[in-house]
Amino acid sequence: MEILRLGNALLRQKAELIGDIDPEVQETAEKLIDLMHRGKGIGLAGPQVGLMKRIFAIHIEKDIPRIFINPSIIETSQELVKYEEGCLSVPGIWGEVSRPKNVRIQAWNEKGRPFNLEAGGLLARAILHEYDHLDGILFLDRLPDLKRIRLLAKFEKLQAKQGPQKADGKA
Ligand code: NI
């Protein structure tokens, strides 16, 4: 598994629900966590590795790594907050995104257990960012047009310097 970058069509597709949470899904969960750690990210979603399933991993400081399978956003706060976000699929680019301050989410963990979680702060931020990935949405989409265009140009320049990502997903 390799992390796909902006420009790969899979990042723009809607991911499918997971059926049974079997050993294969558990293995996928472990791989997601491992790749997230190696990339020094705080979250990684299935579509980012070309796996079009509704699963993501999150690990923020002072918390345990968490797996969310078939998540549903139950509620989000009216209050919005701005925070600088980055994404392992858009390396080298950061932008200030406005999102709900708090979120309530329902999902299943890698052991097949359902759970409810009320989150604020960075955890809420990461949940909303990763959830977006399952619907083919990137944080750049949530920026004002001019800001997005400027950052896209910066990303293209960075990519041109590094060389394009190969079709097999390897950088
Ligand atoms: Ni991301």
Side-chain angles (χ1 to χ4, degrees), residues 1-2 14 20 45 52 55 79-80 83 100 106 170:
M1 280 204 293
E2 297 286 339
K14 210 172 146 84
D20 290 339
M52 303 316 292
I55 180 171
E79 192 185 345
L80 304 177
Y83 192 82
Q106 192 271 317
K170 291 201 175 81

Side-chain angles (χ1 to χ4, degrees), residues 43-45 48 85-90 129-130 133 137-139:
L44 188 65
Q48 289 183 275
E85 290 185 25
C87 179
L88 289 172
S89 293
V90 198
H129 176 116
E130 297 312 322
H133 275 300
I137 299 166
L138 300 175
F139 80 96

Side-chain angles (χ1 to χ4, degrees), residues 71-109:
S72 305
I73 303 281
I74 307 293
E75 202 178 358
T76 52
S77 60
Q78 296 267 318
E79 192 185 345
L80 304 177
V81 281
K82 274 189 181 175
Y83 192 82
E84 186 144 277
E85 290 185 25
C87 179
L88 289 172
S89 293
V90 198
I93 300 294
W94 286 269
E96 215 176 50
V97 184
S98 186
R99 293 192 193 267
K101 193 177 180 208
N102 300 296
V103 61
R104 196 145 63 86
I105 189 169
Q106 192 271 317
W108 282 261
N109 69 15

